[in-house]
């Protein structure tokens, strides 16, 4: 999902793709906008994404206000709680949501399905690319 959005955004603006583990406050300070992408685990944002927010929240507080953001969630069945968590963090940072959360459900409910590597169908990846293209175009045109 993140790679699909990244590939489309790259056509519009300079774009950097990092995992939550690699990213930190300096990356947020350097960027003009953000697409936060995370899996939902047990009705919450994944631990590594929560760690990213924990490490980054206070160092950038008051320095990224008004920056545009969008988010993508990969969930087994719902995804809305993870989206709410990210939206609440973004609200604290005073970011500007420029698109509703994109939630893609894999419908993995059994242990084998949950633990298996996921493959996102092409029609869903198109939605991710569209989100990335829209974010890139909006930044490029200065509409945010």
């Amino acid at each position: 999902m993140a790679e699909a959005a990244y590939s489309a955004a790259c056509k519009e603006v300079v774009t950097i793709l990092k995992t939550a583990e690699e990213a930190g406050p300096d990356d947020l300070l350097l960027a003009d906008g953000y697409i936060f992408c995370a899996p939902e685990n047990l009705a919450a944002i994944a631990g590594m994404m929560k760690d990213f927010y924990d490490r980054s929240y206070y160092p950038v507080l008051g320095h990224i206000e008004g920056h545009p953001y969008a988010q993508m969630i990969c969930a087994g069945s719902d995804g809305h709680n993870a989206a709410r968590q990210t939206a609440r963090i973004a609200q604290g940072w005073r970011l500007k949501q420029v698109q509703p959360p994109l939630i893609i459900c894999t419908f993995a409910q059994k242990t084998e399905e949950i633990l298996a590597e996921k493959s996102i169908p092409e029609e869903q990846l198109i939605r991710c690319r569209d989100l990335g293209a829209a974010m890139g175009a909006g930044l490029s045109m200065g509409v945010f």
Side-chain angles (χ1 to χ4, degrees):
M1 291 173 59
E3 290 172 358
Y6 168 77
S7 68
C10 283
K11 296 175 182 172
E12 303 290 340
V13 292
V14 174
T15 307
I16 297 170
L17 175 65
K18 287 194 173 186
T19 65
E21 186 176 13
E22 298 170 323
D26 290 341
D27 298 300
L28 290 167
L29 293 170
L30 291 173
D32 295 322
Y34 320 101
I35 299 174
F36 300 116
C37 184
E40 180 181 66
N41 293 338
L42 302 173
I45 53 176
M48 286 306 294
M49 195 67 177
K50 175 72 165 68
D51 175 71
F52 161 74
Y53 290 137
D54 287 344
R55 288 183 287 109
S56 302
Y57 190 82
Y58 291 107
V60 304
L61 190 61
H63 299 286
I64 60 173
E65 293 177 1
H67 286 202
Y69 87 96
Q71 61 170 310
M72 300 186 303
I73 303 293
C74 183
S77 60
D78 183 57
H80 289 91
N81 194 53
R84 277 190 296 276
Q85 288 176 299
T86 292
R88 182 61 190 98
I89 292 163
Q91 180 182 1
W93 277 334
R94 310 296 189 263
L95 300 179
K96 178 181 178 183
Q97 179 179 298
V98 296
Q99 296 187 55
L102 173 57
I103 299 172
I104 295 179
C105 291
T106 63
F107 302 104
Q109 297 300 303
K110 297 178 182 170
T111 302
E112 315 77 57
E113 297 167 341
I114 293 167
L115 296 176
E117 186 172 330
K118 308 299 183 285
S119 178
I120 306 299
E122 181 58 28
E123 63 269 11
Q124 300 293 359
L125 291 176
I126 289 170
R127 296 174 64 204
C128 298
R129 285 192 282 278
D130 289 348
L131 185 146
M135 177 63 86
L139 287 167
S140 177
M141 293 186 290
V143 297
F144 301 136

